[in-house]
Amino acid sequence: MFYFDSETTMAIMRQKCGKTRADLTQEELKLLNEIRRAKQQLLLEIKELENEMANVNADLEAMDYDEKSDCTMKQMNIGRSKFNMDPKKGIEYLIENELLEDTPEKVAAFLFKGESLNKTAIGDYLGIGKDFNIKVLEAFVQEHEFKDMILVTALRQFLWSFRLPGEAQKIDRMMECFANRYCESNSGVFESPDTCYVLSFSVIMLNTSLHNPNVKEKPDLERFYAMNKGINEGGDLPKELLKSLYDSIKSEPFKIPEDDGNDLTHTFFNPDKEGWLWKQGGRIKSWKRRWFILTDNCLYYFEFTQDREPRGIIPLENLQLKNVDDSKKDHCFELYTADSKEVIKAAKVDADGRVVEGRHLTYRMSAGSAEEKEEWMKAIRASISRDPFYEMLASRKKKATMPHEN
């Protein structure tokens, strides 16, 4: 039924009948009031209908959004899992599925947020020497705010955001970026980023010496002064600054990310190399992917990067290394003894959790590429003759102690 509003009804009546409201009879007034009530009821029903339609549309949109959101979340979780297993492939997956923009800044922000990401994997990705990764590293460091922080506080924040890899060259790039960022945020504290770089390592070494139970001689404050003498481009840093750093480390050691398990000072200073390799079994010649750490003239291998205990240890003493071809795996190399019949002295954890002697005559590994294989072989050969980390630090310290030339 169609209703006129009351004003329209009155206008019609005036036009047709020449009547005003005062001229209406009781029945006509009653009809007018019914029209008004009907109008209000109709407007109310229209409003309710509009609300219901809006709710239905919202539900439909939400259903569509939830389906897309669930799909996106599922892809994100897959991408994060891939990243934790292989950082490079994980980032590629996220970019290919348009979940992450292909820019250093966006990738750095994703790593800095670190949601469900393994911090070892973050450090591994940041340590890659490709141009794009180096730009990501620089953008990642820019995500940190170090303004008005003392150096040790900035270091705590920085070292908590990822796990430093073991290779000296990677550490050099990362710490150089940190030093540049710190000096940029705190101008005037140091004469140059080289000073900040060297002092940062001094602080971390102090942390090792004070809190590692294997270090018997604990350095006192005077020794810490001596360690850092002349590093500010030939001049000395204020003793108050050095004392504040010393007291901070002595009272509170660096914390390590929980998902990494391994001791930070051990993996930071000692490893010559770390990464994923395929390892061939001894009695059963199957291949298993393991996380290897090369340190202290030994190869340690883990099932996962976050494991606290290695699955096996291979001492490198008296071992030799060679390239080998394998019908099932590419980029293989092999550890062996001079006497091909001699069992390599090694240890592993068996299925019952017991540590037992290894029975390998050889250890055969497969790298992900020819380049990775060469890097591993070079690092293994060099690990017992030199420590690249200390060579790198000595070179930078020499540079920092040289007076600045205007």
Side-chain angles (χ1 to χ4, degrees):
M1 183 181 291
F2 181 78
Y3 294 98
F4 291 112
D5 60 39
S6 57
E7 288 76 12
T8 303
T9 304
M10 288 298 298
I12 293 171
M13 291 179 70
R14 282 194 297 271
Q15 183 180 357
K16 298 295 184 182
C17 308
K19 290 184 177 182
T20 65
R21 186 180 183 87
D23 298 325
L24 295 178
T25 64
Q26 289 297 320
E27 289 186 3
E28 288 172 336
L29 286 172
K30 183 178 179 181
L31 177 61
L32 181 61
N33 289 332
E34 288 177 356
I35 291 171
R36 286 175 174 171
R37 283 195 297 271
K39 171 194 171 184
Q40 293 300 323
Q41 181 64 31
L42 182 60
L43 291 174
L44 182 62
E45 290 175 358
I46 291 172
K47 187 65 176 176
E48 289 177 352
L49 184 59
E50 287 176 347
N51 290 337
E52 288 178 8
M53 290 178 66
N55 290 333
V56 169
N57 288 335
D59 289 341
L60 291 172
E61 290 175 2
M63 289 173 62
D64 185 50
Y65 174 81
D66 287 343
E67 289 177 3
K68 292 179 180 177
S69 179
D70 288 345
C71 181
T72 299
M73 185 60 68
K74 189 176 293 184
Q75 287 182 312
M76 282 297 297
N77 289 335
I78 291 171
R80 292 187 183 106
S81 297
K82 285 180 177 291
F83 179 86
N84 290 337
M85 290 296 291
D86 188 320
K88 183 179 177 182
K89 290 182 179 178
I91 294 296
E92 289 174 352
Y93 174 88
L94 292 169
I95 291 173
E96 288 170 1
N97 286 276
E98 299 182 349
L99 302 170
L100 185 62
E101 290 185 34
D102 190 9
T103 68
E105 292 76 18
K106 292 297 183 181
V107 174
F110 171 74
L111 299 180
F112 182 76
K113 187 177 180 182
E115 186 177 344
S116 301
L117 301 183
N118 182 281
K119 292 186 179 181
T120 296
I122 295 174
D124 189 32
Y125 186 83
L126 293 174
I128 297 173
K130 305 292 185 181
D131 289 343
F132 184 83
N133 297 78
I134 293 173
K135 290 178 181 177
V136 171
L137 169 62
E138 292 169 351
F140 179 86
V141 177
Q142 288 294 318
E143 292 280 340
H144 289 269
E145 181 52 66
F146 297 139
K147 188 171 179 60
D148 298 327
M149 285 187 184
I150 65 169
L151 182 64
V152 69
T153 304
L155 275 171
R156 290 185 196 281
Q157 177 182 307
F158 185 59
L159 296 177
W160 182 256
S161 62
F162 69 103
R163 178 183 170 210
L164 279 156
E167 295 92 324
Q169 191 176 23
K170 294 180 180 181
I171 294 172
D172 181 50
R173 281 197 300 270
M174 293 173 169
M175 294 307 295
E176 184 172 30
C177 284
F178 167 80
N180 288 334
R181 175 61 172 161
Y182 184 84
C183 291
E184 171 191 298
S185 303
N186 300 276
S187 60
V189 175
F190 303 112
E191 289 292 330
S192 74
D194 287 323
T195 300
C196 180
Y197 176 102
V198 173
L199 184 59
S200 297
F201 276 118
S202 294
V203 170
I204 299 169
M205 287 190 286
L206 176 68
N207 181 82
T208 303
S209 300
L210 290 178
H211 300 289
N212 188 332
N214 295 323
V215 178
K216 303 305 179 184
E217 284 190 39
K218 306 297 181 185
D220 58 16
L221 182 57
E222 291 300 322
R223 185 174 171 188
F224 187 60
Y225 288 155
M227 284 172 59
N228 296 288
K229 188 173 180 60
I231 66 170
N232 200 22
E233 295 197 339
D236 292 340
L237 292 166
K239 286 192 173 182
E240 309 86 65
L241 170 63
L242 296 177
K243 184 177 185 303
S244 69
L245 298 176
Y246 182 92
D247 291 343
S248 177
I249 289 297
K250 186 175 182 179
S251 62
E252 183 183 357
F254 285 125
K255 294 179 181 178
I256 60 173
E258 290 182 1
D259 67 3
D260 297 319
N262 303 300
D263 179 72
L264 176 64
T265 56
H266 172 80
T267 54
F268 180 78
F269 287 106
N270 294 328
D272 300 306
K273 188 168 179 59
E274 58 186 347
W276 291 104
L277 291 171
W278 289 90
K279 172 187 164 295
Q280 189 181 57
R283 184 169 56 85
I284 301 173
K285 299 300 182 182
S286 59
W287 290 88
K288 292 183 179 179
R289 194 168 184 255
R290 295 288 184 252
W291 178 260
F292 278 81
I293 292 179
L294 172 62
T295 181
D296 294 335
N297 297 9
C298 291
L299 266 176
Y300 298 81
Y301 58 91
F302 301 77
E303 187 170 0
F304 303 106
T305 57
Q306 64 266 35
D307 287 350
R308 294 183 178 275
E309 300 295 335
R311 297 286 296 176
I313 304 171
I314 309 169
L316 299 176
E317 186 178 3
N318 298 324
L319 294 187
Q320 299 184 42
L321 185 67
K322 65 181 180 181
N323 279 300
V324 291
D325 294 323
D326 191 278
S327 60
K328 294 184 178 180
K329 288 288 182 183
D330 296 324
H331 317 303
C332 292
F333 58 93
E334 192 170 87
L335 289 165
Y336 64 101
T337 60
D339 182 353
S340 59
K341 295 181 181 181
E342 184 180 352
V343 173
I344 295 175
K345 295 178 182 178
K348 66 176 183 178
V349 178
D350 67 9
D352 297 324
R354 298 175 301 170
V355 178
V356 298
E357 289 187 15
R359 298 291 181 184
H360 286 255
L361 295 175
T362 63
Y363 277 92
R364 180 170 294 189
M365 274 79 75
S366 169
S369 67
E371 182 182 4
E372 285 184 23
K373 183 187 76 169
E374 292 303 318
E375 289 177 357
W376 271 105
M377 293 185 70
K378 182 179 179 181
I380 292 171
R381 288 191 177 112
S383 66
I384 60 174
S385 61
R386 66 181 180 88
D387 190 333
F389 169 77
Y390 286 103
E391 287 182 2
M392 173 196 72
L393 182 57
S395 173
R396 187 61 68 103
K397 189 168 185 178
K398 182 179 179 181
K399 183 179 177 182
T401 53
M402 295 176 64
H404 180 67
E405 295 181 4
N406 294 320

